[in-house]
Amino acid sequence: MANTAQLLRRQSSRDIILKSQKSIDQLELRELRGRLVSKEHGVSHHHHTSLHHQPLYGATNQGFMSDAFDESSELEQDPPPFGSEASTSKAKAELVAIATASADQQDIVEGEKEGEERESWDSKIMFLLATIGYAVGLGNVWRFPYLAQKNGGGAFLVPYFIMLCIQGIPIFYLELAIGQRLRKGAIGVWSQVSPYLGGIGISSAVVSYIVALYYNTIIAWCLIYLLHSFESPLPWADCPTRLYKNFTYDHEPECVASSPTQFYWYRTTLQCSESVDMPENFNYHMAIALIVSWFLVYICMVQGITSSGKIVYMTAIFPYVVLIIFFFRGITLKGAADGVAHLFTPRWETLLDPVVWLEAGTQIFFSLGLAFGGLIAFSSYNPANNNCYRDAILVSLTNCGTSMFAGVVVFSVIGFKATATFDRCTEERNGLLAQNKTHNLPVCDLQTELANSASGTGLAFIIFTEAINQFPGAQLWAVLFFLMLFTLGIDSQFGTLEGVVTSLVDMKLFPNLPKEYIVGALCFSCCTISMCFANGAGSYIFQLMDSFAGNFPLLIIALFECLSISYIYGVRRFSDDIEMMTGSRPNFYWMFCWKYLSPCAMVTILLASFYQLLTEGSSYPAWIGSKGATEGMEWPHWCIVVAFFLILSSILWIPIVAVLRLCGIKVVEDSDPAWFPEAELREVHGIVPHEPTELERSIFCFNMDGTEGMCCPKYGLPEKSLEEEE
C-alpha cells in the first residue's frame, strides 16, 4: 500500500504542475514519454518527441512511464506531504533541470525509440466497442438462429453454452492476455513465445487475408441491396416482365417458377451460372460494388486504430439500434409468437446427436473470431494493467447474448412470413373445398413453413427480404436492415485486416514504408483478387472459400496457440503474467482449460469435421434457371485442389517456419521484446512469487525447481521489485 500511495502522490504532484504552468506541462509530458533512465549519470534524460498530447489510455499511458524523478532518492526518504508547496517546488525544479540537461546530452531510449511508440486506444470504451464489433458479425444474425431451430431449439443452448465455457471464453481470454503482455501482433507474439512458433502468426495472417477476400464480398452485396432499397416499389417485390417477339408482355418464367426475392438474388444480383465450371459473363455491377466496398475499408483503416476506433462508435452501436427497432416491430406482427416458440421450444432428444455438439462448438469458435490474430492485435494497444479477464467475459457474453436476441428478431419476422403463407394456403384450400374439389388440395402446415428457414445469404437476401416486402413502408425497413448488415460486416472486416496489418508492421518487412501505404497495398491486392467473385460462378467460389478456407485452418491455428501457451510458454508463467497485469491470478478452471480441456475440444471438433467431410462429402447449391430452384452439385476436381491449397497455404507455415529455423534459416527475424513495465506492475500490485498448491503440482506438473511437465523450458522466479533492486 505504501508503494501505491507513493505512486499516487507523485502523480498528484504532476497534476498540480499541469494546472499551474503550460510550459511545465509540455516538459513533463515529453519526459513521461521518454521512459528511460541513464545509468551512467543517475538521472532521467529527456527524449525529444513531438509536443502534441498523446492518448493516455494505451501503451503510452502515464502510469507506465518511468518517472522524471530520481527513484532511488524517493524510495530512501519519505516524500513531502501530498500537494505541499515543497513537493511542487521540488518537482518543478527537477523538471527544469531535466529539460536543461537534455539539450546537451544524448537521449538513451530503452525498449522503444522515437517514432516507434505503439498506437493506443483513446479510451476503454473504444476498445470494447471495437472488440465487440469484431466478434459480433453476420454469423450472429444469419447463422445462429438457423442452427438453433435446426438442432433442437432451446435444447441447442445446452451444448452452445458448454462449448462457450470450455472452448470459446478460454481461447478468447488467452488471445487478449498474450497480446496485452507481449504488445505485438500475432507474428511478433508467437515468435517471442518461441522462435520456432513464428509460423502460427504467419498462418493467422494468411488465413485472415484469405477470409477478408471473400468476407468483403458480403459487404458488396449489402451495398447493392442498400442502394436499391431506396426504389419504390422494391425491385425484389414483384416479378419483372419480359417482352416477347409478338410484342406481348408476360412475367419472367424463371421468376414465376421460383419467387421474386429468389429471382432478384440469383439472377439479377449474382447473375448465377448453372455450375462453378461456367463463369459466363462478367458482372460489372458486382465489380463496382467490390471496388467501393474495398475503398470504404481502406478509408476506415488508413489512419490506424485511433481513427478506425472512432468509426466503431457507429458500426458497433448501430446494429443494436436496428435490432431493437426490428424487435419491437417484429413482436407486434401476427405469428411472431409462433416463430419465437418454434426457435426456443426444446427437443431434448437432439442432445444425443453428436452433430449437434459439433455444430455448437463450431459456431462458438467462429462467432468469437478466434485465431485470426485480430484479438491479439487489438489487445496489444491496451495499457499494461488492463483487466483482460473482465474484457474476455464481457465481450464473449455480449456476443452470445446478441446471437440469442438476433434469433428472437429473425424468427419473429419469419413467424410472420410463415403465418401469412399458411393463411393464404388455408384460404386457397377452403376455396377449393367450397367448389367441391377434393383432389390435389394444397397441404397447409405452419410448422413446415417455420422450418423452411435458411442460413447465411439465403436468410438475409431471400427469406428476410420477402418478409420485409409485406411491411408497410417496406423501403424504410429494407434500408435499416441492409445498413445493419453492412455495419456488422465492415467492423468485423476491420478486426480481420488489423491482424494482417499489425503483423506486417511488427515484422518490419517494409521498415521505411508508412503504415497507410501498407494498408493501401493490402486493400488493392484484395480488391484485385476479389474480382473472381464478379462473374456467374462468383457465388460458388465464395461458398468454396467459406467452406474450406475459414474453418479448418482456424481450428488448427487455435489448437497450436493453446498448446504453445500450455506446453512451451508454460501455464505457470502465463498465469504469473496475467496476475502481474490484472492483480489477480487465473483460477484453476482457466489453467485446466488451457492445458487440457480446450485442446481436447478442438481436436474432437477437428476429427469429427474431417469424418463428416469424408463420409458425407461436400456439395454446393447451384441455381438451375429453368427449374427456378437450386440443386446440390458435387465440387469438381479442380475445386477440391483449390480447397486443399487454401487449407495448406494457411497451416503449412507452422511446420515450415519451425523446420527452417532448425536448419538455421530465419523466416521471421528476431526482434527485441516490446517495452513492458514489469517491475512497476509488480510493485503497484504487490506481486510476490506464487507457491503452487499440491493440486496444481499434480494436475499441471509444476515442479519445485520452477519447471513444468512435458516440454516447458526452465522457468525461474519473477524478477525483483523496484524497491529490492534499489
Side-chain angles (χ1 to χ4, degrees):
M1 291 299 293
N3 290 333
T4 305
Q6 189 181 50
L7 189 65
L8 292 173
R9 283 196 294 270
R10 292 202 298 265
Q11 184 65 41
S12 298
S13 266
R14 298 191 189 108
D15 294 339
I16 296 173
I17 300 169
L18 289 171
K19 295 177 181 178
S20 62
Q21 189 175 357
K22 183 177 179 180
S23 60
I24 295 297
D25 171 75
Q26 295 174 340
L27 291 172
E28 182 186 17
L29 183 57
R30 289 185 294 176
E31 174 55 25
L32 287 170
R33 294 182 66 211
R35 301 207 296 270
L36 274 303
V37 178
S38 173
K39 297 182 180 178
E40 289 84 3
H41 300 285
V43 295
S44 300
H45 295 302
H46 171 65
H47 182 62
H48 292 288
T49 58
S50 59
L51 295 179
H52 65 279
H53 291 272
Q54 295 292 323
L56 299 182
Y57 175 75
T60 55
N61 193 314
Q62 294 184 26
F64 310 116
M65 305 302 164
S66 297
D67 288 314
F69 307 104
D70 187 348
E71 296 283 5
S72 60
S73 65
E74 289 195 358
L75 291 171
E76 289 172 1
Q77 59 185 2
D78 292 331
F82 167 71
S84 67
E85 188 177 21
S87 66
T88 305
S89 301
K90 178 183 176 183
K92 289 182 179 179
E94 289 184 352
L95 284 171
V96 173
I98 290 165
T100 305
S102 66
D104 302 322
Q105 299 179 9
Q106 183 179 4
D107 295 335
I108 301 174
V109 180
E110 297 176 356
E112 292 178 283
K113 298 181 181 179
E114 182 178 6
E116 294 182 355
E117 288 153 342
R118 196 165 190 81
E119 290 180 282
S120 59
W121 299 104
D122 283 350
S123 64
K124 179 61 175 278
I125 189 65
M126 183 180 291
F127 163 71
L128 288 176
L129 286 176
T131 310
I132 290 172
Y134 166 67
V136 176
L138 295 167
N140 298 77
V141 175
W142 68 27
R143 181 66 176 165
F144 172 81
Y146 166 75
L147 288 178
Q149 68 90 21
K150 171 190 171 187
N151 293 305
F156 180 73
L157 298 179
V158 175
Y160 183 77
F161 278 102
I162 289 177
M163 287 298 178
L164 174 69
C165 293
I166 69 174
Q167 177 184 274
I169 298 179
I171 306 301
F172 200 93
Y173 185 13
L174 181 149
E175 292 197 353
L176 288 184
I178 198 65
Q180 181 175 316
R181 172 61 182 89
L182 300 183
R183 315 201 68 73
K184 294 185 178 182
I187 295 177
V189 159
W190 299 114
S191 297
Q192 190 168 332
V193 170
S194 172
Y196 297 95
L197 298 177
I200 298 178
I202 297 178
S203 294
S204 291
V206 171
V207 74
S208 296
Y209 182 85
I210 294 174
V211 169
L213 274 175
Y214 71 82
Y215 197 85
N216 215 48
T217 307
I218 304 174
I219 300 176
W221 292 336
C222 293
L223 286 176
I224 292 174
Y225 270 74
L226 179 62
L227 177 64
H228 291 289
S229 295
F230 292 94
E231 298 180 15
S232 181
L234 292 173
W236 52 81
D238 297 300
C239 287
T241 56
R242 172 190 286 189
L243 176 63
Y244 291 93
K245 293 181 179 179
N246 59 357
F247 299 102
T248 59
Y249 288 92
D250 196 5
H251 288 297
E252 186 70 43
E254 186 177 342
C255 180
V256 174
S258 54
S259 69
T261 53
Q262 282 184 308
F263 179 83
Y264 189 83
W265 169 243
Y266 287 110
R267 180 57 56 213
T268 306
T269 304
L270 301 181
Q271 300 180 14
C272 272
S273 59
E274 294 196 351
S275 80
V276 70
D277 290 318
M278 298 183 294
E280 295 184 351
N281 298 328
F282 187 76
N283 190 339
Y284 291 97
H285 297 92
M286 187 66 200
I288 295 172
L290 284 168
I291 293 172
V292 172
S293 62
W294 278 113
F295 178 74
L296 291 174
V297 171
Y298 168 75
I299 291 299
C300 294
M301 291 191 64
V302 69
Q303 297 300 327
I305 59 103
T306 302
S307 176
S308 62
K310 295 173 183 176
I311 297 171
V312 302
Y313 280 109
M314 184 193 75
T315 59
I317 295 175
F318 182 77
Y320 287 97
V321 175
V322 176
L323 280 176
I324 292 172
I325 294 173
F326 266 98
F327 170 76
F328 286 108
R329 179 68 182 106
I331 60 175
T332 61
L333 296 172
K334 181 182 178 181
D338 293 325
V340 175
H342 179 79
L343 173 63
F344 288 115
T345 300
R347 301 186 297 277
W348 300 110
E349 66 278 3
T350 58
L351 295 180
L352 301 177
D353 187 357
V355 175
V356 173
W357 292 82
L358 170 64
E359 294 195 338
T362 305
Q363 173 64 14
I364 280 292
F365 188 88
F366 299 121
S367 68
L368 288 174
L370 305 176
F372 282 103
L375 291 174
I376 294 177
F378 278 178
S379 64
S380 70
Y381 303 126
N382 270 330
N385 68 338
N386 176 62
N387 194 329
C388 52
Y389 170 71
R390 184 173 56 202
D391 295 343
I393 298 295
L394 176 63
V395 176
S396 299
L397 294 182
T398 301
N399 179 75
C400 295
T402 303
S403 295
M404 289 189 288
F405 182 62
V408 172
V409 173
V410 168
F411 267 85
S412 65
V413 176
I414 288 179
F416 163 71
K417 171 185 170 295
T419 301
T421 303
F422 175 75
D423 289 345
R424 287 195 300 268
C425 177
T426 304
E427 184 180 350
E428 180 183 353
R429 180 184 176 88
N430 292 337
L432 292 174
L433 289 174
Q435 300 175 13
N436 296 322
K437 295 181 179 179
T438 58
H439 298 288
N440 299 323
L441 292 175
V443 178
C444 305
D445 185 13
L446 179 60
Q447 294 302 316
T448 302
E449 292 295 333
L450 289 170
N452 285 337
S453 61
S455 68
T457 55
L459 176 63
F461 298 106
I462 297 176
I463 293 180
F464 215 87
T465 52
E466 186 175 340
I468 289 176
N469 287 339
Q470 303 174 47
F471 286 5
Q475 287 77 14
L476 173 63
W477 297 104
V479 169
L480 286 175
F481 179 68
F482 291 111
L483 194 56
M484 178 190 72
L485 293 184
F486 171 77
T487 53
L488 280 172
I490 202 165
D491 55 8
S492 295
Q493 185 79 331
F494 291 160
T496 304
L497 283 178
E498 187 64 41
V500 182
V501 174
T502 305
S503 297
L504 292 176
V505 172
D506 288 348
M507 284 182 69
K508 295 181 174 60
L509 292 177
F510 312 100
N512 300 320
L513 197 63
K515 184 177 179 179
E516 53 266 26
Y517 290 172
I518 297 176
V519 174
L522 188 68
C523 291
F524 179 77
S525 63
C526 287
C527 183
T528 303
I529 299 174
S530 64
M531 289 299 113
C532 67
F533 303 114
N535 59 73
S539 62
Y540 306 141
I541 299 173
F542 170 88
Q543 293 174 41
L544 177 70
M545 298 181 72
D546 188 39
S547 299
F548 295 99
N551 49 21
F552 296 113
L554 291 174
L555 276 169
I556 295 171
I557 292 168
L559 175 63
F560 274 95
E561 286 182 353
C562 204
L563 294 176
S564 300
I565 291 296
S566 301
Y567 300 102
I568 305 296
Y569 194 80
V571 169
R572 181 178 175 182
R573 180 181 180 184
F574 189 52
S575 299
D576 287 346
D577 289 342
I578 294 175
E579 182 182 15
M580 178 174 56
M581 292 186 294
T582 66
S584 59
R585 192 175 185 83
N587 58 37
F588 177 87
Y589 173 77
W590 299 114
M591 293 191 289
F592 187 78
C593 283
W594 291 327
K595 196 153 190 174
Y596 302 116
L597 207 53
S598 296
C600 289
M602 285 184 283
V603 169
T604 302
I605 291 176
L606 267 174
L607 294 178
S609 299
F610 280 122
Y611 176 78
Q612 188 180 41
L613 182 64
L614 291 174
T615 55
E616 299 181 7
S618 179
S619 61
Y620 66 98
W623 177 253
I624 309 300
S626 58
K627 299 180 180 179
T630 58
E631 289 186 0
M633 298 183 67
E634 295 293 327
W635 292 108
H637 294 300
W638 69 268
C639 287
I640 301 298
V641 173
V642 170
F644 274 103
F645 173 77
L646 292 173
I647 296 174
L648 295 178
S649 64
S650 301
I651 63 174
L652 279 183
W653 288 102
I654 299 175
I656 287 175
V657 170
V659 171
L660 291 179
R661 188 83 186 197
L662 284 173
C663 299
I665 302 174
K666 297 181 180 179
V667 178
V668 180
E669 291 294 329
D670 296 331
S671 60
D672 295 331
W675 174 84
F676 190 78
E678 189 169 343
E680 289 89 339
L681 285 172
R682 288 202 181 105
E683 179 184 10
V684 170
H685 291 305
I687 304 298
V688 296
H690 174 72
E691 184 67 25
T693 63
E694 287 296 330
L695 182 63
E696 289 176 342
R697 291 194 184 100
S698 59
I699 298 297
F700 304 117
C701 306
F702 292 166
N703 301 320
M704 296 299 295
D705 60 355
T707 60
E708 293 185 29
M710 297 188 71
C711 55
C712 293
K714 184 78 173 181
Y715 174 54
L717 296 175
E719 297 178 9
K720 295 181 180 179
S721 65
L722 278 178
E723 187 171 359
E724 291 172 338
E725 290 177 356
E726 292 295 342

